[in-house]
Amino acid sequence: MSTSTSTSTFDDLSRRAMMVIGVAALALGVATIVVVQPLVDSLPSSFAFVGLFGAVAFLLGLWMFRARYRGGIESTTVLDIEYPMSTPTPGHDIDRALYQLTELREGTIEYKEQIQKRLGEVAVAVISQRENCSREEAIQHLEEGTWTDDATAASFFSGGSPPRQSFVERKFGSGDTPYEQWVKAAVDEIVDLADMGSSEDPETTVAQTDDTGLLARLGLSSSTTVDPPSTRGTNYESSGAYDDAERVADGVLYANLVETGHWRGITAFALVAAGWGVITFTPAVLLISVVAIGFAAYARMGTAPDVTALEIDRHLSNDQPDPGEPVEVTVTVRNGGDAFLSDLRLIDAVPEPIRVVEGSPRLATALRPGSQATFTYTFVAERGSHEWPVQVVARDFSGSIEREALVQVDASIQCVPSLKTVSDMPVRSQTSLYSGQVDTAIGGSGLEFFAVREYREGDPMNRIDWKRHARTGELATIDFRLERAANVVLVFDGRDSAYVSPTPGDQHAVDRSVAAATEIFTALADRGDLVGLAAFDTVPCWLGPSAGDGHEERARRIFTSHPALSTIPPTQSETEGHYVDPMNHVRQQLSPGSQIMLFSPLCDDYTAEVARRLDSAGHLVTIISPNPTADRTVGQRLARVERTMRVNELRERGIRVVNWNYDATLGLELDRAEKRWAV
């Protein structure tokens, strides 16, 4: 049950309970009046009326004190634009399941099964690789507990129970529960067995999956995946909070009108003081309540501020920056109306991918009619077309009413990748019929000597071997090694699961892939190769292999603003689409001689399966894989092992994989890969 649903249910129960209490109090009051009627008749009528008024005021004041204590002061939720867009780290699903299981005591059965499935699957793959044995033998090692010398880790898969904690461990230990210690022990042994630090590019064999024996009992299969949670930000574009906003003027939307309850406490004090003064006949207390009632009445007379007359101007130091280039922003706000704005707050709501690196995009001020204020900040540009409003929050002079509005500003940025060549990209010998720079085993026109053959009628005069003709009188033709253009399609994994990063706020794998692709696209185009683009996501993306300035401009537009390559994950964007199967969307449009460069973090089996199927269809596949894994938590360490096993299996099948670490440049990783491929 969600928090909002729980709160709503609690409020309904509270209202019903108060209704019952109110009815009971009314009945009790009537009964009391009937019983004490003779006493009341003996008192002056004015005394009874004033006493009843004082009691009601006193009780109402206590009730308002209680409401003020429980409710606090309400205010408009402002945008947290300083926080960078956060994407999850591979393994977050295991960490989340472990936290909810041990800390929140939720999902005792399903979360335990989920954790055991993942650990069992990885353990079998690692044992198969490490021991060079079949999958059945690896499962037997797990069942018998012979895969490790650690008894605690071995018992995780052999029907054991979590280790018992001593009194000292419970009081002075790490704070982990016995089950957490059990899981960590198993993961530690799996990581050690995988020997993650032995070689960056090990040449190992991973056995095929099998759903028998231990795996069947654990419910494991090669397709077991866990959907990542949504990481929706507080940006106005993805919050959905302004869907019902009212347009009151050109470029001005009125959103929420909040009664802050700022003076609710003084109202409660006024009622309690008035009631107590009347009941006890204390004039001084009653006089104090009159002053408090005056303040409360003043707060009740407040009206919502009008911000439609605000004039906001935004100046950008560069409205067409390159990705990663800093842009200075200056925002000026002027009060063009006749009313004094006593409490005005402005937040320049920069889009979610953009990071503010200097200054503050916020301003708190008061503006007289005709006056203005300015604030300046700097952000780092991200690819795409970006325009954004200014969030305005204005209070009346008493602070009891708060108006929220969005004001559209005409300044925006267009951040387009430059498509510049930084490093060369080695391609394979699968080519097209067009000339280029890929060497073939065919003779023809070129620069490198290939062979000498008999002269055929029509051979160019400049390719006849005249020296041989002078010696022997025979005509012969010199062939050079023919160079052809490669036909390459850059394919992107644009699914929500590809939007992952090593730490919150880091560049996610899709952005990193696009940055690499802009370099590779230009490098291949400069070689004379035919280059295309494609992506599989909820939005189809296809640009067939070609060349020329017009083709590069179309590619640049796709890199900049196509929804399939958005800087925002699909679950946070407003783009509507449908499931796109890469086998139907991409494979059916590929020509027989096309090579594939697949960009993916390889954090699940789906993209690895796509690569295997494309390779089986006769397309040479090279994977450029940004490595977003980390090792700070149990889930992250397990995900790192999973990804390493996946990379090893692809390489064993003859599929090239460039494992691009976040702390290395693409050119360095390509150089290392080319040396490895040349061996």
Side-chain angles (χ1 to χ4, degrees), residues 300-321:
R300 292 289 181 180
M301 293 172 59
T303 59
D306 182 13
V307 297
T308 56
L310 283 179
E311 301 170 2
I312 302 178
D313 176 69
R314 181 191 298 129
H315 174 73
L316 304 171
S317 62
N318 185 0
D319 59 0
Q320 293 184 338

Side-chain angles (χ1 to χ4, degrees), residues 305-307 310 312 333-335 341-346 363-367 373 391-395 403:
D306 182 13
V307 297
L310 283 179
I312 302 178
V333 55
R334 180 179 179 275
N335 185 0
L341 298 176
S342 58
D343 188 344
L344 185 66
R345 284 168 288 165
L346 295 95
L363 174 68
T365 186
L367 290 180
Q391 183 189 28
V392 177
V393 180
R395 285 183 176 181
R403 164 77 72 189

Side-chain angles (χ1 to χ4, degrees), residues 83-85 231-235 237-238 350-354 568 572:
Y83 289 98
M85 183 178 67
T231 54
R232 295 178 68 89
T234 55
N235 198 292
E237 292 179 325
S238 59
V350 293
E352 198 159 39
I354 292 178
I568 300 175
Q572 300 185 33

Side-chain angles (χ1 to χ4, degrees), residues 657-658 668-678:
V657 181
V658 178
L668 180 60
E669 294 292 354
L670 290 176
D671 289 341
R672 291 175 178 173
E674 191 170 11
K675 292 177 182 178
R676 186 173 66 252
W677 298 335

Side-chain angles (χ1 to χ4, degrees), residues 444-447 449 451 453 455-456 458-467 475-480:
S445 299
L447 298 177
F449 175 78
R453 59 173 173 81
Y455 173 80
R456 302 190 189 103
D459 284 346
M461 296 289 290
N462 60 356
R463 287 173 51 194
I464 295 177
D465 189 350
W466 296 107
K467 292 183 179 180
L475 290 177
T477 302
I478 300 175
D479 273 345
F480 297 91

Side-chain angles (χ1 to χ4, degrees), residues 128-144:
S128 299
Q129 177 199 100
R130 189 68 173 175
E131 303 297 331
N132 194 21
C133 63
S134 66
R135 191 167 187 81
E136 290 74 16
E137 292 173 328
I139 293 172
Q140 185 177 359
H141 282 304
L142 278 185
E143 290 177 328
E144 297 175 353

Side-chain angles (χ1 to χ4, degrees), residues 1 56 88 97 173 215 248 310 423 431 433 447 474 492 550 589 643:
M1 180 180 294
V56 170
L215 290 186
V248 295
L310 283 179
S423 56
T431 60
L433 296 179
L447 298 177
E474 298 177 356
F492 297 89
Q589 302 183 79
R643 182 180 178 277

Side-chain angles (χ1 to χ4, degrees), residues 603-637:
C603 290
D604 60 19
D605 290 331
Y606 182 78
T607 308
E609 177 63 22
V610 170
R612 288 191 291 266
R613 293 174 64 185
L614 290 172
D615 182 73
S616 299
H619 301 285
L620 298 178
V621 178
T622 300
I623 301 177
I624 310 295
S625 181
N627 182 4
T629 59
D631 60 358
R632 298 182 301 275
T633 66
V634 171
Q636 291 171 6
R637 299 178 70 196

